[in-house]
Every structure is written in structure tokens, then in C-alpha cells.
């Protein structure tokens, strides 16, 4: 961790009323958009009668239950992110993008570009600014591409998958594995404690995924990330705490 003075100054500003005032309008906009899409869906169903009330209720319950697992994983990662960039930025970024893992990765890259580790020694206001700008720029790319090139991307997707439907998925997985492997590599060389967390989390993830293939255990797949992280941190704390 960085010195208490440096990190304290960063978090004091990061959690200030000014930051909350800047973050809340973005989150409110996301909520308004969700409500508008929900109203459009309700109006469409009422107009076309494509679903009965029972089917609507079942869909809502399924969606609510399915959201619990990912939310737990996001919540756990967000706790660590809050301790580095503050509550307002975390609330705004996760509210817009919905991926705490990506935001943590982006913040880490931003701090490293400044020359320090996220929350580590030398993590000052300049490093905080670099981390937040990287998070914002990383997310803005998704938003701009979606707004400007959605139709074109659909055509590209059809061409890419014309020869092999699995190719697009392979490309996406490969990019994710490469990015997260870079982060894991930096942590592994830091000693046995971070290496143990990574190894235990990976093993736990494999075990949970295998359990999800058994009859009646499919629900646990949504909890995989949260369970793996909790088990990894718990085992490391017991062994090295």
C-alpha cells in the first residue's frame, strides 16, 4: 500500500462531495435508460400479447436470480476498487460498464503508466488522475463503437463467423486471456501470497465450473467468480495472514 499520507489525500478527494456530484448524474442517466427500456418492453408485450402474465413473471424471476451471482462477484471486486479510487468513481464506472474486473484492470494500467502500482508507494493525485482517465477512456471506446458502428459490426460478425461460428468467441476469449495473464504475471512475481491467491482461485473456478455441469447444480455457475475470489483470499489470509 502507499504511504498513509499519500493514499489518505487521494481518498479524501476521491470520496469528496464534488466527486459524488459528478458521478451521480451519470448513474441516474443509466437508471432512466433502464426504466425507459423496461417501459418499451412492457408496452410491446401488452400490444402484441407475445407473453402471458405467468411467462412474464417467470422471466422476471429468472433474470433476478441470474443477476445475483454476477452481482456478488462485482461487489467483491468493487470493494477493492473503492479502497483505491473511492466510492463515487467506482459507483459511476461499474454503473455504466457493469464490469468491476475491467475497471480494476484499467485503473491498474493507468497507475502503472504513471510509474506506480495502484494504491502502492507513490500513488498520489497524479497517479489517481491517470487511473481514472484510463478507466474513462477504456469505457468510452465501447460506447463510441456501439453508437457509431453497431450495424457495421453486425456485418463483420456475420462474415467472420461464416466459415466457423466459433471463431468470434475464440478471438474474444484470447484477448481476455492475454490481458488478464499480463495482470496475473505481475502479481505472481510479487511473492507466494499473491501467487497462492491466484492458484487457489483458478482451481476453485475449475471445480465450480465442473460442479455446474451436474444435474441440479447449474445455478452455481453464476456464483463461480465470487466463490473463487472469496476462497482464494480466505486461503491466502489463513496461510500468510
Amino acid at each position: 500500500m502507499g504511504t498513509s499520507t499519500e493514499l489518505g489525500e487521494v481518498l479524501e478527494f476521491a470520496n469528496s462531495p464534488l466527486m459524488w456530484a459528478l458521478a451521480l448524474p451519470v448513474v441516474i442517466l443509466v437508471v432512466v435508460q433502464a426504466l425507459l427500456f423496461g417501459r418499451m418492453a412492457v408496452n410491446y408485450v401488452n400490444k402484441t400479447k407475445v407473453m402471458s402474465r405467468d411467462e412474464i413473471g417467470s422471466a422476471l424471476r429468472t433474470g433476478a436470480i441470474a443477476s445475483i451471482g454476477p452481482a456478488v462477484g462485482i461487489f467483491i471486486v468493487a470493494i477493492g476498487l473503492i479502497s483505491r479510487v473511492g466510492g463515487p468513481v467506482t459507483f459511476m464506472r461499474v454503473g455504466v460498464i457493469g464490469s468491476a474486473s475491467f475497471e480494476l484492470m484499467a485503473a491498474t494500467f493507468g497507475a502503472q503508466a504513471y510509474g506506480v502500482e495502484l494504491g502502492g508507494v507513490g500513488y498520489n493525485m497524479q497517479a489517481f488522475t491517470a487511473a481514472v482517465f484510463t478507466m474513462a477512456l477504456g469505457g468510452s471506446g465501447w460506447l463510441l463503437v456501439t453508437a457509431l458502428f453497431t450495424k457495421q459490426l453486425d456485418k463483420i460478425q456475420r462474415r467472420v463467423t461464416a466459415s466457423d461460428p466459433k471463431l468470434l468467441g475464440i478471438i474474444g476469449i484470447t484477448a481476455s486471456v492475454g490481458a488478464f495473464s499480463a495482470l496475473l504475471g505481475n502479481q505472481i512475481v510479487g511473492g507466494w501470497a499473491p501467487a497462492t491467491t491466484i492458484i487457489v482461485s483458478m482451481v476453485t473456478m475449475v471445480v465450480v465450473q465442473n460442479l455446474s455441469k451436474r444435474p441440479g447444480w447449474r445455478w452455481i455457475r453464476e456464483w463461480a467468480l465470487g466463490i473463487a475470489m472469496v476462497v482464494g483470499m480466505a486461503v491466502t489470509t489463513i496461510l500468510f495472514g
Side-chain angles (χ1 to χ4, degrees), residues 6 26-27 74 79 127 129 150-151 159 163 165 176 182-183 191 193 205 219 229:
E6 289 175 330
V26 179
V27 179
I74 292 172
I79 291 176
T129 303
T150 298
K151 291 184 178 180
R159 291 179 181 177
S163 58
S176 299
L183 290 175
M205 179 70 77
W219 60 271
M229 294 180 64

Side-chain angles (χ1 to χ4, degrees), residues 57-98:
S58 176
L60 291 174
R61 287 193 299 271
T62 301
I65 294 173
S67 68
I68 294 176
V72 172
I74 292 172
F75 176 75
I76 294 172
V77 179
I79 291 176
L81 194 59
I82 289 173
S83 66
R84 303 298 192 274
V85 298
V89 172
T90 301
F91 186 46
M92 177 183 67
R93 298 304 307 158
V94 174
V96 172
I97 302 301

Side-chain angles (χ1 to χ4, degrees), residues 19-41:
M19 292 298 292
W20 279 112
L22 294 173
L24 284 176
V26 179
V27 179
I28 292 172
L29 177 61
V30 174
V31 174
V32 171
Q33 287 179 324
L35 293 175
L36 289 175
F37 278 115
R39 188 178 68 175
M40 291 171 61

Side-chain angles (χ1 to χ4, degrees), residues 30-169:
V30 174
V31 174
V32 171
Q33 287 179 324
L35 293 175
L36 289 175
F37 278 115
R39 188 178 68 175
M40 291 171 61
V42 171
N43 291 337
Y44 177 78
V45 171
N46 290 335
K47 182 179 180 180
T48 60
K49 305 297 182 181
V50 295
M51 298 176 67
S52 65
R53 289 187 176 274
D54 290 339
E55 290 174 331
I56 294 173
S58 176
L60 291 174
R61 287 193 299 271
T62 301
I65 294 173
S67 68
I68 294 176
V72 172
I74 292 172
F75 176 75
I76 294 172
V77 179
I79 291 176
L81 194 59
I82 289 173
S83 66
R84 303 298 192 274
V85 298
V89 172
T90 301
F91 186 46
M92 177 183 67
R93 298 304 307 158
V94 174
V96 172
I97 302 301
S99 174
S101 300
F102 171 82
E103 298 302 332
L104 179 60
M105 179 175 63
T108 301
F109 286 158
Q112 289 176 346
Y114 180 75
V116 301
E117 292 297 323
L118 186 66
V121 176
Y123 183 67
N124 51 25
M125 287 298 299
Q126 288 75 23
F128 167 76
T129 303
V132 174
F133 261 98
T134 304
M135 296 165 71
L137 291 174
S140 65
W142 295 354
L143 297 175
L144 288 174
V145 169
T146 301
L148 300 176
F149 304 111
T150 298
K151 291 184 178 180
Q152 288 76 7
L153 287 173
D154 183 56
K155 295 179 181 178
I156 294 174
Q157 177 180 331
R158 287 199 296 268
R159 291 179 181 177
V160 170
T161 57
S163 58
D164 187 355
K166 298 180 180 179
L167 183 59
L168 193 64

